[in-house]
Structures are given as structure tokens and as C-alpha cells.
Amino acid sequence: MVNIEGKVLALTGGGGGAKLARGLIECLAPEQLLIVANTGDDFTHLGLSISPDLDSVMYALADLNDPERGWGLAGESWQAMHALKQLGGADWFSLGDRDLATHLQRSLRLAEGATLSEVTGELCAALGLRHSLVPMTDDRVSTRVATEQGELAFQEYFVREQCAPAVTGFRFEGIEYAQPLPKLMEWLTAPDLKAVIICPSNPFVSVDPILSLKGVREALHSSPAPVVAVSPIVGGLAVKGPAAKMMQELKMPATAAAVAEWYGDLLDGLMIDSVDSELASSIPGTTRVLPTLMTDLNSKVELARAAIDFALQLD
């Protein structure tokens, strides 16, 4: 545990963000940490409500995730998908047999009138989680990817097309009407908020939907709590996912320095990997250089502890 009197807010997508979130719950008491996950990836598939980033974080926090695939549950089976394919159904987005239970329960509860945050709390409690994981909003926001082949829903781009089309921009459908989760805004304005940590998730499609919610960016600027980010780009490559490819297609250098430029004056500090140490002097503001790759629980905890300590030093 980290010796801190106050709260820490973490903003995350799946992938690397889920790994850092797993480390954070080892460092902070449940009442000290709020993990807010992107829901721009959410969509309806096979009649079910799918929340990929929420589920990736939830499974990671519960130590149920598959570390080899980087998504879904460990020890999964795929009989339902095999049967669906035989019947001529849409099997391009794979749902494991055990993972299906999560989507069935979520869809049932939403149909009964529960909010996404209420359902997320119920699912997390059922898996024995004590720390708070919440969606960025209870309203529907859909990330749309503009490509040279036309606009695609995010999962169509990411899974069906395997990120092959060249990206030209992004749009968050419904963002102008979506309200940030009240708990998110409460923490952003809490007098005892000590740090905001932007996890190493894709800046464009995992973090920006959260930052684009009404009032969130303004609240971050107004908060006295330092905002620190962990770069998802290491040595010119994304640790996981298409972030580096997107940067190149958007005519941006695929570097940690470009990540810092994208976030701009929102950040008080950026953590970059040791292999990118030569970039530190070119990044405005305060930079911390250290190993950022998370390969086991110990490295997740060490990076989480370092992120908290970094923020506290900037306070």
C-alpha cells in the first residue's frame, strides 16, 4: 500500500490500462481509488450489450483475464461461436462461452431498467471486487473511426477489419448529449483528490472519449490535483493495439513526445519508458523515465506505485 491521505482517480481503456489498474488496487484502499473506464467501444452484438473496455478492466482486477490474448477470460471455450458459425451467424466478434454470461446478465439488467453503472457495480461485486470500477457515462457514446474506406464503428475497424484501413480521424457519436457519470465529477471536484492518473491506453479512442464528456476536461484543468499519464508508446511502438499505426496515419510521429503533445497542457507530468530516455528533454513539463512494461503482478504494482509517487511529488 502507498502512504497517501486522499483519493486517486484513474482514467483507462483496456489493454495496458487494465494492467496498471490491477497494480493500483494493490497500492490503494478501496475508498481511495476510482477507476473510470471508456465506454466509447461499447456496442450491441448478437442482441447483447457488449462493453469491451469495462470487461477487460473488470476481468483484470479479478485476475480472471487471459494474459496471452490480452482480452476475455482465461481458460475460455468457444462452443457457442463454433455453433453460431455453423448456422451462418456473425462470428467475427468472438465471445467465449463464459464471457457470454457477462453479456447476458448485463443485457438482461439493462432491459430491466438498470443503468450501466449499476450493472457494472453488480458484476464487480459478484466477482469479489472491492475497488470501484465505473463507466465514464451511463449514456450511449459510440466511437466512429474515419478511414480512407469510409466511416466504421470502432469494433468493425478494430476486430472485423483488424485495424487495416488507414485512419483519418475519429468521432464520438452522442458525446454532445452524454453526461459524465456523477461519481466521476464528484471525484474530480473532491478537495481530497490527490492525483489523476491517465493509464497507458490509446489516447485517441480510449482516453479521448472520457476527456470529451461535458465538463471533464474543464474539471481536470480546475482541479489542484496533478494529472500524470503513462505513455502507451514505447520505442516507437504501441505496447498493444493500433495507437502507433494511428499516429503514423494521422501524420504524427509515433513517440512518447507526440503523446505528450496530444494531451497538451492537461498534463502535469508524463511517464515514459527507459528506452525513450533521449526524448525526455524534448517533452514540455515534468517527465519521469523508468521501465513501464508490465509483464507480471510485481511490475504492475511497481509502475502503479511510481505513478502515485510521481503525482504526489508534483502536488
Side-chain angles (χ1 to χ4, degrees):
M1 302 291 283
V2 173
N3 185 18
I4 175 175
E5 294 183 4
K7 297 175 177 177
V8 174
L9 174 65
L11 309 180
T12 186
K19 290 182 178 181
L20 185 58
R22 178 63 183 88
L24 286 169
I25 69 171
E26 294 291 326
C27 298
L28 298 163
E31 66 274 10
Q32 292 181 298
L33 177 65
L34 179 66
I35 303 167
V36 180
N38 165 54
T39 58
D41 296 5
D42 291 16
F43 75 126
T44 300
H45 184 60
L46 303 176
L48 300 175
S49 179
I50 314 294
S51 295
D53 282 357
L54 269 175
D55 291 344
S56 290
V57 179
M58 180 175 69
Y59 293 155
L61 297 181
D63 290 328
L64 297 173
N65 60 305
D66 188 323
E68 293 185 8
R69 285 200 315 270
W71 56 272
L73 289 160
E76 190 61 276
S77 58
W78 308 93
Q79 294 303 309
M81 286 294 104
H82 295 328
L84 182 66
K85 182 177 182 179
Q86 186 176 20
L87 295 173
D91 66 333
W92 60 268
F93 190 89
S94 294
L95 299 171
D97 298 327
R98 294 171 57 224
D99 187 35
L100 270 170
T102 297
H103 310 309
L104 287 166
Q105 180 65 8
R106 177 187 294 114
S107 302
L108 174 64
R109 291 290 293 121
L110 291 174
E112 291 174 344
T115 64
L116 181 59
S117 56
E118 289 172 341
V119 177
T120 301
E122 294 168 1
L123 294 172
C124 288
L127 295 180
L129 299 181
R130 297 172 57 234
H131 291 75
S132 294
L133 166 66
V134 300
M136 67 183 196
T137 179
D138 277 326
D139 299 317
R140 176 55 66 94
V141 175
S142 299
T143 297
R144 311 286 297 184
V145 183
T147 77
E148 293 179 347
Q149 299 177 21
E151 189 176 74
L152 297 169
F154 180 76
Q155 297 302 335
E156 293 173 344
Y157 163 80
F158 186 61
V159 180
R160 192 187 70 191
E161 303 300 324
Q162 296 291 293
C163 305
V167 167
T168 59
F170 309 96
R171 179 172 70 88
F172 307 128
E173 188 173 73
I175 196 72
E176 63 271 29
Y177 306 111
Q179 295 296 318
L181 199 74
K183 192 170 185 179
L184 165 58
M185 300 308 291
E186 289 170 10
W187 277 59
L188 278 174
T189 57
D192 59 344
L193 181 65
K194 296 300 183 182
V196 178
I197 298 173
I198 299 178
C199 295
S201 298
N202 188 307
F204 311 109
V205 295
S206 294
V207 180
D208 260 12
I210 305 175
L211 300 180
S212 298
L213 286 165
K214 192 179 306 181
V216 169
R217 189 177 288 270
E218 293 78 7
L220 284 166
H221 277 297
S222 300
S223 173
V227 179
V228 302
V230 180
S231 174
I233 302 296
V234 175
L237 300 173
V239 177
K240 181 174 175 56
K245 177 179 180 290
M246 287 176 171
M247 295 173 84
Q248 294 165 355
E249 291 165 355
L250 293 171
K251 312 304 181 188
M252 299 170 58
T255 65
V259 172
E261 184 177 354
W262 180 260
Y263 285 132
D265 62 0
L266 188 69
L267 295 185
D268 294 293
L270 179 69
M271 301 175 69
I272 67 174
D273 194 82
S274 302
V275 303
D276 293 318
S277 59
E278 73 280 0
L279 296 174
S281 60
S282 66
I283 297 175
T286 307
T287 305
R288 174 70 61 83
V289 180
L290 75 171
T292 62
L293 293 180
M294 294 171 282
T295 56
D296 55 18
L297 180 57
N298 183 65
S299 56
K300 295 170 189 175
V301 173
E302 287 302 311
L303 185 60
R305 182 178 292 114
I308 297 169
D309 290 343
F310 184 33
L312 293 179
Q313 291 171 17
L314 296 171
D315 193 359

